[in-house]
Amino acid sequence: MKVAKFGGSSVADSSMLGQVASIIEADQDRKFIVVSAPGKRYDDDVKVTDLFIQLGEQYDSGQNYEETLFKISQRFMSITEELELSKDIVARIENESRRLLRETTNTTHLMDALKAMGEDSLARILSAYLNKRGTKATYVNPKDAGVIVSSDPNGAQILEKSYEQIYRLREREGVVVIPGFFGYTETGILTAFPRGGSDISGSIIAAGVQAELYENFTDVSSVYCVNPKIVDQPKEIHTLTYKEMRELSYAGFSVFHDEALIPAFKKNIPVCIKNTNDPDCRGTMIVASKKDNGQPVVGIASDTGFSTIYVRKYLMNREIGFGQKLLSILAEENISFEHAPSGIDDMSVIIRTEDLKGDKEETLMNRIKNELQVDTVDVTHGLAMIMLVGEGMSNRLNVASKATKAFAEADVNIDMINQGSSEVSMMFGIYEENLNEAIKSLYQEFFLTD
Amino acid sequence: MKVAKFGGSSVADSSMLGQVASIIEADQDRKFIVVSAPGKRYDDDVKVTDLFIQLGEQYDSGQNYEETLFKISQRFMSITEELELSKDIVARIENESRRLLRETTNTTHLMDALKAMGEDSLARILSAYLNKRGTKATYVNPKDAGVIVSSDPNGAQILEKSYEQIYRLREREGVVVIPGFFGYTETGILTAFPRGGSDISGSIIAAGVQAELYENFTDVSSVYCVNPKIVDQPKEIHTLTYKEMRELSYAGFSVFHDEALIPAFKKNIPVCIKNTNDPDCRGTMIVASKKDNGQPVVGIASDTGFSTIYVRKYLMNREIGFGQKLLSILAEENISFEHAPSGIDDMSVIIRTEDLKGDKEETLMNRIKNELQVDTVDVTHGLAMIMLVGEGMSNRLNVASKATKAFAEADVNIDMINQGSSEVSMMFGIYEENLNEAIKSLYQEFFLTD
């Protein structure tokens, strides 16, 4: 049994839904289907979820929301008409939305419930459409499916006991269509996962039904080994381990947020990223472990927008607790640090530039200067981080050597190297203007040279 | 005018003192002479300073100290007899020692005063000997010279106002011989510098008299670019900058403690390390700045005895303040950390293994486990650190590339790379058993290959 999740771009209009139905019908094992809300059909289009958010905000601020509600109805109307389904589904969306606006007093609950309407309605539509095509399908609400979540204000977390109930979905006949993106608390309150949460839902269902595979259908045929905006048509990654995926997701690989896959990872369910528009393409498998294929680096991730805070203080090395004091100032200012390379009398802290917005930079500089009595404190902006990732790195001697050679050949100075904690990654800091040249050279060295 | 300081091995016996006198007489500019106490004459020999410490400890614990006092007298007697000097100097040592034991009630003051007797007596002997040879010389006590220090229990620090008084030593006729290792507080209490403090004294005198050069005579002809115990007859370093010296001293270059040179550095006095037994050899100059000679790395330092504490916690990256909490536990346990490379969900802290003595390791592991709620905490011993140092590194692209190539060629896996804070050094962590091979390969790459 497989769980297939279809993202927003895969369910954006009726023709895409036709493609989705064909994919489901092409493999009898695709029994559990999790769907997002309809996404953009073209560049300037608005996602259904954004329309629902707009609706809630207009209501909350006392503005007229009729036009927004009309747009939502129209969007679903065009789908149901083109698929020749009953108009009741659309009428239900309008009525249910009005009821929520009228009856829900808690703003957070209202927003979650409105946002969830996109996924919920699409699941009802897909289920009806499959039945119309002669494929037996049932819409199952997450509450009935057993998706019970915590009421954590920092983001709903699935409760372990959910899985037992979800497992019983296996007993259902035919295809089971479940809306993604939300669950219910133990007291029955609809609660949304963080944005992009349909991936989480699919992952939870896959874990619960103990699927043989979690297929994540999106609009790319596979994960590339390097950003395709920098390298033209780079090689595809056929197999990634969970660990590699997590490291890559961190820095610039935005196929989906790695944390969404945790429920599946924990139960050892393999994940396959596939393209709705090219379902026969093998895609990228994400697995717990893989054979060493002699390739030390599986992917190169990169991200920009970093800054370095450089601190120098004579005899810093002798001052026990100096590093801790510096990091505690950062923590007090609510700034997360990425890396902290240190010398004898100096220490650098690498942070995201966005964390220095407003007067934060000045505050931070002053606190470091005054509280730590340093000789020098400087800040440098415009850094990029490059991360080489691969489980094969841990037992190969020459990865650092090949990497640094690639930088030298691209005439790119390395500002920072951070290796030593993770066994499956190596991090380099360079200036942003050199990023493309560096990535191209690394790609050449690790993927095109034997 | 030059200041020449002679270390313990340079003044160990009468024949060495003959050599020292010849060196002083060979250059009219060598006006200010700072001396250590007589060091070891052969491997099993005992340094005079250690005999004075033994004397103080025996007195303090009520033991018989006559034999120790006799050994001290004998040691100086053999010098004065061989140099045919008056016996009064030796009689003075015995009388003065007995007076100190009798009259000094504060144990710290007593120990400092006893230890200082070695340098003080040697300075008196050298001065007398120079005069006997026909070279006008005067013994000047540090109090008269103006070496005024703080009474800081963590180590005496020179007071800035000393320099004005020391400058007046220039008015003295002939050679001025000053015992190293101690100064006096403002209330007149003799206070010793940390062990090896004769280097500090020489540095202070050089700064005070605004010497053109501070010559530090020891038993090596120069500083080598790599540990001569690992590489046979390595290249000599002819010129080092203060900054390079400081970085090298940190890890295994034990010519002298870099902090001893601070007073000279602050006043921009160049320092020359020379060999008493081969005074015509050019030695190693330590200067404020030097021309770029195209050589990126000036020296390779290395040291063993490091451990890594590896901590893994899922979503560590999101937990603001995690790094700070980890380092604060180390600070509370009074452990200084050397480096702290970090990954997404993990962080390593590299510390000296000696800091984990006794039950410290267990305490630390338990605190990290319990207070930080980590998934994994491991400790690995037996690491060595290698540091490449050179001011030329900052503007050369391929240093990292050459270094990592050298490790790969020696089949040595790099456990950690720390680059990014200091512009003049790059640090590598490897397993101790690979140290010699790695150093040899790095030496080949940076010093023998064009």
Side-chain angles (χ1 to χ4, degrees):
Chain A
M1 288 180 186
K2 297 175 185 171
V3 172
K5 181 255 161 184
F6 294 91
S9 60
S10 301
V11 295
D13 60 24
S14 59
S15 79
M16 286 304 296
L17 281 170
Q19 173 72 1
V20 166
S22 304
I23 290 171
I24 294 168
E25 289 160 356
D27 185 346
Q28 292 262 348
D29 288 337
R30 289 183 179 131
K31 183 176 175 66
F32 305 97
I33 311 303
V34 175
V35 290
S36 291
K40 291 183 180 186
R41 291 158 296 184
Y42 42 84
D43 273 357
D44 288 347
D45 199 14
V46 181
K47 292 178 182 178
V48 164
T49 304
D50 288 329
L51 289 173
F52 275 112
I53 291 171
Q54 199 181 319
L55 174 65
E57 286 173 350
Q58 285 170 334
Y59 172 83
D60 201 46
S61 61
Q63 288 175 269
N64 188 314
Y65 52 80
E66 288 300 331
E67 195 189 324
T68 309
L69 191 52
F70 179 73
K71 275 189 198 159
I72 294 170
S73 296
Q74 281 302 101
R75 184 80 195 264
F76 281 105
M77 187 71 83
S78 73
I79 293 175
T80 51
E81 278 180 357
E82 283 160 31
L83 297 180
E84 296 172 354
L85 300 175
S86 154
K87 287 184 179 170
D88 293 355
I89 296 174
V90 182
R92 192 193 163 280
I93 295 169
E94 201 183 317
N95 295 337
E96 185 65 11
S97 298
R98 288 192 194 280
R99 188 189 66 76
L100 286 171
L101 293 177
R102 207 169 47 233
E103 294 179 4
T104 322
T105 47
N106 179 308
T107 309
T108 309
H109 296 170
L110 173 63
M111 292 306 286
D112 275 3
L114 284 175
K115 283 189 284 180
M117 287 280 289
E119 277 76 7
D120 192 68
S121 306
L122 201 279
R124 289 169 192 270
I125 288 171
L126 179 61
S127 173
Y129 178 53
L130 285 168
N131 280 303
K132 185 168 170 292
R133 283 168 68 114
T135 299
K136 185 172 165 48
T138 322
Y139 157 85
V140 178
N141 182 275
K143 191 189 272 177
D144 300 325
V147 181
I148 314 299
V149 300
S150 66
S151 53
D152 192 335
N154 294 320
Q157 299 276 336
I158 188 74
L159 300 184
E160 193 60 30
K161 64 177 176 186
S162 300
Y163 293 121
E164 216 180 302
Q165 204 183 325
I166 294 170
Y167 186 75
R168 278 189 240 121
L169 287 176
R170 291 169 66 111
E171 295 156 17
R172 302 233 182 189
E173 265 183 68
V175 172
V176 174
V177 185
I178 305 165
F181 190 42
F182 64 100
Y184 288 83
T185 62
E186 290 187 280
T187 55
I189 294 167
L190 185 154
T191 304
F193 290 120
R195 191 92 196 238
S198 293
D199 285 326
I200 304 177
S201 298
S203 184
I204 289 168
I205 301 297
V209 302
Q210 295 177 20
E212 64 186 88
L213 183 66
Y214 170 32
E215 294 179 307
N216 197 299
F217 282 90
T218 175
D219 52 5
V220 296
S221 288
S222 60
V223 177
Y224 293 109
C225 66
V226 64
N227 188 343
K229 285 178 189 154
I230 298 176
V231 173
D232 193 38
Q233 292 193 292
K235 292 194 177 173
E236 296 169 348
I237 303 178
H238 294 310
T239 310
L240 268 178
T241 65
Y242 295 163
K243 219 173 181 177
E244 288 169 341
M245 183 70 206
R246 168 126 182 93
E247 301 266 343
L248 284 172
S249 303
Y250 169 67
F253 265 60
S254 55
V255 177
F256 48 64
H257 202 297
D258 59 299
E259 285 168 39
L261 296 185
I262 295 167
F265 290 176
K266 281 193 178 160
K267 309 273 175 183
N268 256 323
I269 315 287
V271 178
C272 189
I273 297 173
K274 299 201 82 160
N275 190 346
T276 308
N277 297 303
D278 186 10
D280 294 331
C281 177
R282 64 191 282 194
T284 299
M285 285 290 291
I286 307 171
V287 296
S289 66
K290 63 175 181 184
K291 269 196 207 149
D292 185 352
N293 62 357
Q295 180 84 15
V297 173
V298 72
I300 305 169
S302 54
D303 206 358
T304 54
F306 293 92
S307 298
T308 301
I309 296 170
Y310 170 84
V311 175
R312 185 172 176 85
K313 182 176 186 180
Y314 189 68
L315 299 185
M316 181 190 290
N317 185 252
R318 294 265 206 88
E319 193 176 331
I320 288 180
F322 183 89
Q324 177 255 320
K325 279 182 236 157
L326 176 58
L327 297 187
S328 77
I329 290 178
L330 286 168
E332 282 160 28
E333 295 294 335
N334 207 29
I335 296 173
S336 170
F337 80 101
E338 309 284 323
H339 311 284
S342 57
I344 298 170
D345 291 337
D346 42 26
M347 185 166 169
S348 295
V349 184
I350 295 165
I351 59 176
R352 296 228 171 229
T353 309
E354 61 180 17
D355 287 341
L356 293 176
K357 274 191 305 229
D359 52 6
K360 204 67 152 183
E361 178 172 333
E362 205 186 323
T363 307
L364 199 60
M365 293 297 105
N366 286 336
R367 287 197 61 185
I368 292 171
K369 213 175 293 172
N370 300 330
E371 295 172 30
L372 301 180
Q373 304 280 311
V374 299
D375 301 331
T376 308
V377 53
D378 283 329
V379 62
T380 308
H381 301 300
L383 291 175
M385 292 288 142
I386 295 177
M387 198 175 209
L388 302 186
V389 176
E391 301 236 17
M393 279 168 59
S394 60
N395 45 27
R396 280 205 175 63
L397 300 173
N398 60 351
V399 176
S401 169
K402 286 179 79 156
T404 51
K405 178 168 159 258
F407 282 102
E409 280 172 358
D411 274 349
V412 173
N413 213 344
I414 304 170
D415 203 58
M416 189 209 74
I417 305 177
N418 186 351
Q419 189 226 323
S421 204
S422 168
E423 290 236 304
V424 305
S425 70
M426 200 179 285
M427 178 75 86
F428 298 89
I430 62 171
Y431 281 96
E432 282 176 353
E433 60 262 34
N434 299 324
L435 181 61
N436 288 6
E437 287 316 305
I439 293 284
K440 282 178 196 164
S441 185
L442 287 165
Y443 178 70
Q444 176 73 34
E445 185 68 33
F446 284 101
F447 293 95
L448 302 183
T449 311
D450 182 38
Chain B
M1 288 179 184
K2 297 177 183 170
V3 171
K5 180 256 161 183
F6 294 91
S9 60
S10 301
V11 296
D13 60 25
S14 60
S15 79
M16 286 303 295
L17 281 170
Q19 173 72 358
V20 166
S22 305
I23 291 171
I24 294 167
E25 289 160 355
D27 185 345
Q28 293 262 349
D29 288 336
R30 290 183 178 130
K31 183 175 174 68
F32 304 97
I33 310 302
V34 176
V35 290
S36 292
K40 291 183 180 185
R41 291 158 295 185
Y42 41 84
D43 274 357
D44 288 347
D45 200 13
V46 181
K47 292 179 182 178
V48 164
T49 303
D50 288 328
L51 290 174
F52 275 111
I53 291 171
Q54 198 180 319
L55 173 66
E57 286 172 350
Q58 285 170 335
Y59 172 82
D60 200 46
S61 61
Q63 289 175 267
N64 188 314
Y65 52 79
E66 287 301 331
E67 193 189 325
T68 309
L69 190 52
F70 179 72
K71 276 189 197 159
I72 293 170
S73 296
Q74 282 300 103
R75 184 78 194 265
F76 283 104
M77 188 71 82
S78 72
I79 294 174
T80 49
E81 277 182 357
E82 284 160 30
L83 298 179
E84 296 172 355
L85 300 176
S86 153
K87 288 186 181 168
D88 293 354
I89 295 174
V90 181
R92 191 194 164 277
I93 295 169
E94 200 183 318
N95 295 337
E96 185 65 11
S97 297
R98 289 191 193 281
R99 188 190 64 78
L100 286 171
L101 294 177
R102 206 168 51 234
E103 293 179 5
T104 321
T105 48
N106 179 309
T107 309
T108 309
H109 296 171
L110 173 63
M111 291 306 286
D112 275 3
L114 284 174
K115 283 189 284 181
M117 288 280 290
E119 276 77 7
D120 191 69
S121 306
L122 201 277
R124 290 170 191 271
I125 288 170
L126 179 61
S127 172
Y129 177 54
L130 286 168
N131 280 304
K132 185 167 172 290
R133 284 168 65 115
T135 299
K136 183 171 165 51
T138 323
Y139 156 84
V140 178
N141 182 275
K143 191 190 273 178
D144 300 326
V147 181
I148 314 298
V149 301
S150 66
S151 53
D152 192 336
N154 293 321
Q157 298 278 334
I158 187 74
L159 299 185
E160 194 60 31
K161 64 177 176 187
S162 299
Y163 293 121
E164 215 181 303
Q165 203 183 327
I166 293 170
Y167 186 77
R168 276 188 240 122
L169 286 176
R170 291 169 65 112
E171 294 156 18
R172 303 233 181 189
E173 265 183 69
V175 171
V176 174
V177 184
I178 305 164
F181 189 41
F182 64 100
Y184 288 83
T185 63
E186 290 186 281
T187 56
I189 294 168
L190 185 154
T191 304
F193 291 119
R195 190 92 196 237
S198 293
D199 285 326
I200 304 177
S201 299
S203 184
I204 288 168
I205 300 297
V209 301
Q210 296 177 20
E212 64 186 87
L213 183 66
Y214 170 32
E215 294 179 307
N216 196 299
F217 282 90
T218 173
D219 52 5
V220 295
S221 289
S222 60
V223 176
Y224 294 109
C225 66
V226 63
N227 188 343
K229 286 178 189 153
I230 298 177
V231 173
D232 193 37
Q233 291 193 293
K235 292 194 177 174
E236 294 169 350
I237 303 178
H238 294 310
T239 310
L240 268 178
T241 65
Y242 296 163
K243 218 172 181 179
E244 288 168 342
M245 184 69 207
R246 168 124 181 93
E247 300 267 343
L248 285 171
S249 303
Y250 169 68
F253 266 61
S254 54
V255 176
F256 47 64
H257 203 297
D258 59 298
E259 285 168 41
L261 296 184
I262 295 168
F265 290 175
K266 280 193 178 161
K267 308 273 176 184
N268 256 323
I269 315 288
V271 178
C272 188
I273 297 173
K274 299 201 81 162
N275 189 346
T276 307
N277 297 305
D278 185 11
D280 294 331
C281 176
R282 62 191 283 192
T284 299
M285 285 290 291
I286 307 170
V287 296
S289 65
K290 63 175 182 184
K291 270 195 207 150
D292 184 353
N293 62 356
Q295 180 86 14
V297 173
V298 71
I300 305 170
S302 54
D303 206 359
T304 54
F306 293 92
S307 298
T308 301
I309 295 170
Y310 170 84
V311 175
R312 185 172 174 85
K313 182 176 186 179
Y314 189 66
L315 298 185
M316 181 191 289
N317 185 254
R318 296 263 208 88
E319 192 176 333
I320 288 180
F322 183 89
Q324 177 255 321
K325 280 182 237 157
L326 176 59
L327 298 187
S328 76
I329 291 178
L330 286 167
E332 282 160 28
E333 296 294 334
N334 207 29
I335 296 173
S336 171
F337 79 101
E338 307 285 324
H339 311 285
S342 57
I344 298 170
D345 292 336
D346 42 26
M347 186 166 167
S348 295
V349 184
I350 294 166
I351 59 177
R352 296 224 172 232
T353 309
E354 63 181 16
D355 286 341
L356 293 176
K357 274 191 304 225
D359 52 7
K360 204 65 151 184
E361 179 172 333
E362 204 186 324
T363 307
L364 199 60
M365 293 296 107
N366 285 336
R367 286 198 62 185
I368 292 172
K369 213 175 295 171
N370 300 330
E371 295 172 31
L372 301 181
Q373 304 280 310
V374 300
D375 302 330
T376 309
V377 53
D378 283 328
V379 62
T380 308
H381 301 301
L383 290 176
M385 293 289 142
I386 296 177
M387 198 174 209
L388 301 187
V389 176
E391 300 236 18
M393 280 168 59
S394 61
N395 45 26
R396 281 204 175 63
L397 299 173
N398 60 349
V399 176
S401 167
K402 286 179 79 156
T404 51
K405 177 168 160 257
F407 283 103
E409 280 172 358
D411 273 349
V412 173
N413 213 345
I414 304 169
D415 203 58
M416 189 209 73
I417 305 177
N418 185 352
Q419 189 226 322
S421 204
S422 169
E423 291 236 304
V424 305
S425 69
M426 200 178 287
M427 178 75 86
F428 298 88
I430 62 171
Y431 282 96
E432 283 177 353
E433 60 261 35
N434 299 324
L435 182 61
N436 288 7
E437 287 316 305
I439 293 285
K440 282 178 195 163
S441 185
L442 287 165
Y443 178 70
Q444 175 73 34
E445 185 68 32
F446 284 101
F447 294 96
L448 302 184
T449 311
D450 182 38

